[in-house]
Short mmCIF file of all heavy atoms in Angstrom, two decimals:
data_model
loop_
_atom_site.label_atom_id
_atom_site.label_comp_id
_atom_site.label_asym_id
_atom_site.label_seq_id
_atom_site.Cartn_x
_atom_site.Cartn_y
_atom_site.Cartn_z
N ALA O 1 20.87 49.04 43.72
CA ALA O 1 19.81 49.92 44.25
C ALA O 1 20.13 51.40 44.04
O ALA O 1 19.25 52.19 43.75
CB ALA O 1 19.57 49.63 45.73
N ALA O 2 21.43 51.79 44.16
CA ALA O 2 21.81 53.19 44.01
C ALA O 2 22.02 53.61 42.56
O ALA O 2 21.95 54.80 42.25
CB ALA O 2 23.10 53.45 44.80
N LEU O 3 22.27 52.67 41.65
CA LEU O 3 22.58 52.97 40.26
C LEU O 3 21.59 53.93 39.60
O LEU O 3 22.02 54.88 38.92
CB LEU O 3 22.73 51.69 39.45
CG LEU O 3 23.13 51.82 37.98
CD1 LEU O 3 24.47 52.56 37.84
CD2 LEU O 3 23.22 50.45 37.32
N PRO O 4 20.29 53.80 39.77
CA PRO O 4 19.37 54.74 39.11
C PRO O 4 19.60 56.20 39.54
O PRO O 4 19.31 57.11 38.76
CB PRO O 4 17.99 54.27 39.57
CG PRO O 4 18.17 52.81 39.86
CD PRO O 4 19.58 52.70 40.41
N GLU O 5 20.16 56.43 40.71
CA GLU O 5 20.41 57.80 41.20
C GLU O 5 21.53 58.49 40.43
O GLU O 5 21.52 59.71 40.30
CB GLU O 5 20.75 57.76 42.68
CG GLU O 5 19.66 57.24 43.57
CD GLU O 5 20.13 57.03 45.01
OE1 GLU O 5 21.15 57.63 45.41
OE2 GLU O 5 19.47 56.27 45.72
N PHE O 6 22.53 57.74 39.97
CA PHE O 6 23.67 58.36 39.29
C PHE O 6 23.92 57.85 37.88
O PHE O 6 24.84 58.31 37.22
CB PHE O 6 24.94 58.21 40.13
CG PHE O 6 25.33 56.80 40.46
CD1 PHE O 6 26.01 56.03 39.52
CD2 PHE O 6 25.03 56.26 41.70
CE1 PHE O 6 26.38 54.72 39.83
CE2 PHE O 6 25.41 54.95 42.00
CZ PHE O 6 26.09 54.19 41.06
N ARG O 7 23.08 56.95 37.40
CA ARG O 7 23.28 56.35 36.07
C ARG O 7 23.43 57.43 34.98
O ARG O 7 24.31 57.33 34.12
CB ARG O 7 22.13 55.43 35.73
CG ARG O 7 22.21 54.82 34.36
CD ARG O 7 21.02 53.98 33.93
NE ARG O 7 19.98 53.84 34.90
CZ ARG O 7 19.53 52.68 35.39
NH1 ARG O 7 20.04 51.56 34.95
NH2 ARG O 7 18.55 52.65 36.26
N ASP O 8 22.58 58.47 35.00
CA ASP O 8 22.63 59.49 33.96
C ASP O 8 23.89 60.37 34.03
O ASP O 8 24.21 61.05 33.07
CB ASP O 8 21.37 60.34 34.01
CG ASP O 8 20.13 59.57 33.58
OD1 ASP O 8 20.28 58.52 32.92
OD2 ASP O 8 19.01 60.02 33.90
N ALA O 9 24.60 60.33 35.15
CA ALA O 9 25.82 61.10 35.30
C ALA O 9 27.03 60.35 34.74
O ALA O 9 28.11 60.92 34.59
CB ALA O 9 26.07 61.45 36.78
N LEU O 10 26.85 59.06 34.42
CA LEU O 10 27.93 58.27 33.83
C LEU O 10 28.04 58.55 32.33
O LEU O 10 27.02 58.75 31.66
CB LEU O 10 27.65 56.77 34.02
CG LEU O 10 27.75 56.22 35.43
CD1 LEU O 10 27.17 54.81 35.49
CD2 LEU O 10 29.21 56.22 35.92
N PRO O 11 29.25 58.59 31.80
CA PRO O 11 29.41 58.71 30.35
C PRO O 11 28.72 57.53 29.64
O PRO O 11 28.48 56.48 30.24
CB PRO O 11 30.91 58.66 30.13
CG PRO O 11 31.52 58.92 31.46
CD PRO O 11 30.54 58.49 32.49
N GLU O 12 28.44 57.67 28.38
CA GLU O 12 27.64 56.72 27.62
C GLU O 12 28.11 55.27 27.72
O GLU O 12 27.31 54.36 28.01
CB GLU O 12 27.59 57.13 26.15
CG GLU O 12 26.75 56.25 25.27
CD GLU O 12 26.73 56.68 23.83
OE1 GLU O 12 27.23 57.76 23.49
OE2 GLU O 12 26.20 55.90 23.02
N GLY O 13 29.38 55.00 27.47
CA GLY O 13 29.88 53.63 27.52
C GLY O 13 29.83 53.03 28.90
O GLY O 13 29.44 51.87 29.09
N ALA O 14 30.20 53.83 29.90
CA ALA O 14 30.17 53.35 31.29
C ALA O 14 28.73 53.10 31.74
O ALA O 14 28.47 52.11 32.44
CB ALA O 14 30.83 54.38 32.21
N ARG O 15 27.83 53.95 31.31
CA ARG O 15 26.41 53.79 31.66
C ARG O 15 25.88 52.48 31.06
O ARG O 15 25.19 51.71 31.74
CB ARG O 15 25.60 54.98 31.14
CG ARG O 15 24.12 54.92 31.50
CD ARG O 15 23.38 56.20 31.13
NE ARG O 15 23.58 56.66 29.77
CZ ARG O 15 24.24 57.73 29.42
NH1 ARG O 15 24.80 58.53 30.32
NH2 ARG O 15 24.39 58.06 28.15
N ALA O 16 26.21 52.21 29.81
CA ALA O 16 25.75 50.98 29.16
C ALA O 16 26.32 49.74 29.87
O ALA O 16 25.60 48.77 30.12
CB ALA O 16 26.14 50.96 27.68
N PHE O 17 27.59 49.78 30.22
CA PHE O 17 28.22 48.66 30.89
C PHE O 17 27.64 48.41 32.27
O PHE O 17 27.28 47.28 32.62
CB PHE O 17 29.73 48.90 30.99
CG PHE O 17 30.51 47.83 31.68
CD1 PHE O 17 30.46 46.52 31.24
CD2 PHE O 17 31.32 48.15 32.77
CE1 PHE O 17 31.19 45.52 31.90
CE2 PHE O 17 32.05 47.16 33.42
CZ PHE O 17 31.98 45.84 32.98
N ALA O 18 27.52 49.45 33.06
CA ALA O 18 27.00 49.32 34.43
C ALA O 18 25.53 48.87 34.43
O ALA O 18 25.09 48.19 35.36
CB ALA O 18 27.15 50.63 35.19
N SER O 19 24.79 49.25 33.41
CA SER O 19 23.35 48.96 33.35
C SER O 19 23.02 47.69 32.59
O SER O 19 21.86 47.30 32.52
CB SER O 19 22.63 50.13 32.65
OG SER O 19 22.88 51.33 33.32
N GLU O 20 24.02 47.02 32.02
CA GLU O 20 23.79 45.84 31.20
C GLU O 20 23.06 44.76 31.99
O GLU O 20 23.43 44.43 33.12
CB GLU O 20 25.10 45.28 30.67
CG GLU O 20 24.91 44.11 29.75
CD GLU O 20 26.22 43.59 29.14
OE1 GLU O 20 27.28 43.84 29.73
OE2 GLU O 20 26.14 42.94 28.11
N ALA O 21 22.02 44.23 31.38
CA ALA O 21 21.28 43.13 32.02
C ALA O 21 22.24 41.99 32.28
O ALA O 21 23.03 41.60 31.43
CB ALA O 21 20.14 42.69 31.12
N GLY O 22 22.20 41.47 33.46
CA GLY O 22 23.04 40.34 33.81
C GLY O 22 24.38 40.69 34.43
O GLY O 22 25.08 39.83 34.94
N HIS O 23 24.73 41.97 34.43
CA HIS O 23 26.04 42.41 34.95
C HIS O 23 26.30 41.89 36.36
O HIS O 23 27.39 41.45 36.69
CB HIS O 23 26.13 43.93 34.92
CG HIS O 23 27.48 44.48 35.21
ND1 HIS O 23 28.18 45.26 34.32
CD2 HIS O 23 28.29 44.36 36.30
CE1 HIS O 23 29.35 45.58 34.85
NE2 HIS O 23 29.43 45.06 36.06
N TYR O 24 25.28 41.94 37.21
CA TYR O 24 25.42 41.50 38.61
C TYR O 24 24.57 40.26 38.91
O TYR O 24 24.38 39.91 40.08
CB TYR O 24 25.08 42.63 39.57
CG TYR O 24 26.07 43.75 39.49
CD1 TYR O 24 25.80 44.95 38.85
CD2 TYR O 24 27.33 43.61 40.05
CE1 TYR O 24 26.73 45.96 38.75
CE2 TYR O 24 28.28 44.60 39.96
CZ TYR O 24 27.97 45.78 39.32
OH TYR O 24 28.91 46.78 39.23
N ASP O 25 24.07 39.58 37.91
CA ASP O 25 23.30 38.34 38.06
C ASP O 25 24.27 37.18 37.96
O ASP O 25 24.73 36.83 36.87
CB ASP O 25 22.23 38.26 36.99
CG ASP O 25 21.45 36.95 37.01
OD1 ASP O 25 21.75 36.08 37.85
OD2 ASP O 25 20.52 36.82 36.21
N TYR O 26 24.61 36.56 39.07
CA TYR O 26 25.64 35.53 39.11
C TYR O 26 25.36 34.35 38.20
O TYR O 26 26.27 33.61 37.84
CB TYR O 26 25.82 35.03 40.54
CG TYR O 26 26.39 36.05 41.51
CD1 TYR O 26 26.46 35.77 42.85
CD2 TYR O 26 26.83 37.30 41.08
CE1 TYR O 26 26.97 36.68 43.76
CE2 TYR O 26 27.33 38.22 41.99
CZ TYR O 26 27.41 37.90 43.34
OH TYR O 26 27.92 38.81 44.20
N THR O 27 24.12 34.16 37.78
CA THR O 27 23.78 33.07 36.89
C THR O 27 23.87 33.43 35.41
O THR O 27 23.74 32.58 34.55
CB THR O 27 22.35 32.53 37.17
OG1 THR O 27 21.40 33.57 36.88
CG2 THR O 27 22.22 32.11 38.63
N SER O 28 24.12 34.71 35.12
CA SER O 28 24.17 35.19 33.75
C SER O 28 25.55 35.03 33.12
O SER O 28 26.56 35.23 33.77
CB SER O 28 23.77 36.67 33.70
OG SER O 28 23.98 37.21 32.42
N GLU O 29 25.57 34.73 31.82
CA GLU O 29 26.83 34.70 31.08
C GLU O 29 27.44 36.09 30.97
O GLU O 29 28.61 36.22 30.66
CB GLU O 29 26.61 34.17 29.66
CG GLU O 29 26.42 32.67 29.59
CD GLU O 29 26.49 32.16 28.15
OE1 GLU O 29 26.40 32.97 27.20
OE2 GLU O 29 26.64 30.95 27.99
N ARG O 30 26.67 37.12 31.17
CA ARG O 30 27.13 38.49 31.09
C ARG O 30 27.51 39.08 32.44
O ARG O 30 27.75 40.26 32.59
CB ARG O 30 26.08 39.38 30.44
CG ARG O 30 25.80 39.02 29.00
CD ARG O 30 27.01 39.33 28.13
NE ARG O 30 26.66 39.32 26.72
CZ ARG O 30 27.38 38.76 25.79
NH1 ARG O 30 28.48 38.11 26.12
NH2 ARG O 30 27.03 38.80 24.55
N CYS O 31 27.55 38.24 33.47
CA CYS O 31 27.99 38.66 34.79
C CYS O 31 29.52 38.72 34.81
O CYS O 31 30.18 37.79 34.34
CB CYS O 31 27.49 37.71 35.86
SG CYS O 31 27.95 38.17 37.53
N VAL O 32 30.10 39.78 35.36
CA VAL O 32 31.55 39.92 35.40
C VAL O 32 32.19 38.98 36.43
O VAL O 32 33.38 38.65 36.32
CB VAL O 32 31.98 41.37 35.67
CG1 VAL O 32 31.52 42.27 34.55
CG2 VAL O 32 31.48 41.86 37.01
N LYS O 33 31.42 38.55 37.42
CA LYS O 33 31.98 37.70 38.46
C LYS O 33 32.53 36.41 37.82
O LYS O 33 31.93 35.81 36.98
CB LYS O 33 30.95 37.35 39.51
CG LYS O 33 31.54 36.59 40.68
CD LYS O 33 30.60 36.45 41.82
CE LYS O 33 31.19 35.74 43.01
NZ LYS O 33 32.27 34.87 42.81
N ASP O 34 33.71 36.04 38.27
CA ASP O 34 34.42 34.83 37.85
C ASP O 34 35.15 34.91 36.53
O ASP O 34 35.78 33.90 36.12
CB ASP O 34 33.48 33.62 37.86
CG ASP O 34 32.89 33.35 39.24
OD1 ASP O 34 33.60 33.53 40.24
OD2 ASP O 34 31.70 33.01 39.32
N LEU O 35 35.10 36.04 35.83
CA LEU O 35 35.96 36.19 34.67
C LEU O 35 37.41 36.13 35.14
O LEU O 35 37.72 36.46 36.29
CB LEU O 35 35.73 37.55 33.98
CG LEU O 35 34.42 37.69 33.21
CD1 LEU O 35 34.16 39.16 32.88
CD2 LEU O 35 34.45 36.86 31.94
N GLU O 36 38.31 35.70 34.28
CA GLU O 36 39.74 35.51 34.64
C GLU O 36 40.61 36.55 33.95
O GLU O 36 40.51 36.74 32.74
CB GLU O 36 40.17 34.10 34.24
CG GLU O 36 39.37 33.04 34.93
CD GLU O 36 39.70 31.63 34.46
OE1 GLU O 36 40.52 31.46 33.54
OE2 GLU O 36 39.09 30.67 34.99
N LEU O 37 41.45 37.19 34.71
CA LEU O 37 42.34 38.21 34.18
C LEU O 37 43.26 37.60 33.13
O LEU O 37 43.91 36.59 33.37
CB LEU O 37 43.17 38.85 35.29
CG LEU O 37 44.13 39.98 34.89
CD1 LEU O 37 43.35 41.17 34.32
CD2 LEU O 37 44.97 40.42 36.07
N ALA O 38 43.28 38.22 31.94
CA ALA O 38 44.09 37.70 30.84
C ALA O 38 45.21 38.67 30.44
O ALA O 38 46.35 38.25 30.19
CB ALA O 38 43.23 37.41 29.61
N ASP O 39 44.92 39.98 30.39
CA ASP O 39 45.89 40.92 29.87
C ASP O 39 45.57 42.33 30.32
O ASP O 39 44.39 42.71 30.42
CB ASP O 39 45.88 40.88 28.33
CG ASP O 39 46.96 41.76 27.72
OD1 ASP O 39 48.15 41.50 27.96
OD2 ASP O 39 46.58 42.71 27.02
N ILE O 40 46.62 43.11 30.56
CA ILE O 40 46.47 44.52 30.89
C ILE O 40 47.38 45.30 29.94
O ILE O 40 48.57 45.00 29.82
CB ILE O 40 46.86 44.84 32.34
CG1 ILE O 40 45.94 44.15 33.31
CG2 ILE O 40 46.90 46.36 32.58
CD1 ILE O 40 46.33 44.30 34.78
N ALA O 41 46.81 46.29 29.23
CA ALA O 41 47.59 47.19 28.39
C ALA O 41 47.57 48.55 29.09
O ALA O 41 46.51 49.14 29.26
CB ALA O 41 47.00 47.30 26.99
N LEU O 42 48.73 48.98 29.51
CA LEU O 42 48.83 50.22 30.31
C LEU O 42 48.50 51.45 29.46
O LEU O 42 48.63 51.42 28.24
CB LEU O 42 50.23 50.32 30.90
CG LEU O 42 50.56 49.24 31.91
CD1 LEU O 42 52.01 49.35 32.37
CD2 LEU O 42 49.63 49.29 33.11
N PRO O 43 48.14 52.53 30.13
CA PRO O 43 47.77 53.76 29.41
C PRO O 43 48.93 54.30 28.57
O PRO O 43 50.08 54.24 29.00
CB PRO O 43 47.41 54.75 30.51
CG PRO O 43 47.28 53.96 31.75
CD PRO O 43 48.05 52.70 31.56
N THR O 44 48.58 54.80 27.44
CA THR O 44 49.56 55.51 26.60
C THR O 44 49.06 56.91 26.42
O THR O 44 47.86 57.19 26.42
CB THR O 44 49.66 54.82 25.22
OG1 THR O 44 48.37 54.78 24.62
CG2 THR O 44 50.21 53.42 25.34
N THR O 45 49.99 57.87 26.30
CA THR O 45 49.61 59.25 26.08
C THR O 45 50.13 59.72 24.74
O THR O 45 51.13 59.24 24.21
CB THR O 45 50.16 60.17 27.19
OG1 THR O 45 51.58 60.03 27.22
CG2 THR O 45 49.59 59.82 28.53
N THR O 46 49.42 60.67 24.17
CA THR O 46 49.81 61.25 22.88
C THR O 46 49.85 62.76 23.04
O THR O 46 48.83 63.37 23.36
CB THR O 46 48.81 60.85 21.79
OG1 THR O 46 48.70 59.42 21.77
CG2 THR O 46 49.27 61.33 20.44
#
């Protein structure tokens, strides 16, 4: 419900991810709920 208020303040990639159809639809294959953690690559600096 709040996403439309701040969506345009998100950077492009984050905006697309947060707004993706199905992101919060528990019946969607594109819902993040129930994904299983596989790998974390820590930040690197240059």
Side-chain angles (χ1 to χ4, degrees):
L3 183 58
E5 298 171 20
F6 58 81
R7 178 185 359 238
D8 291 341
L10 290 168
E12 182 180 352
R15 182 172 52 250
F17 178 57
S19 303
E20 183 177 22
H23 189 121
Y24 293 104
D25 176 357
Y26 294 172
T27 64
S28 171
E29 284 192 345
R30 296 292 195 225
C31 181
V32 297
K33 186 170 182 337
D34 300 322
L35 287 166
E36 300 173 358
L37 182 63
D39 185 62
I40 296 175
L42 296 175
T44 56
T45 57
T46 305

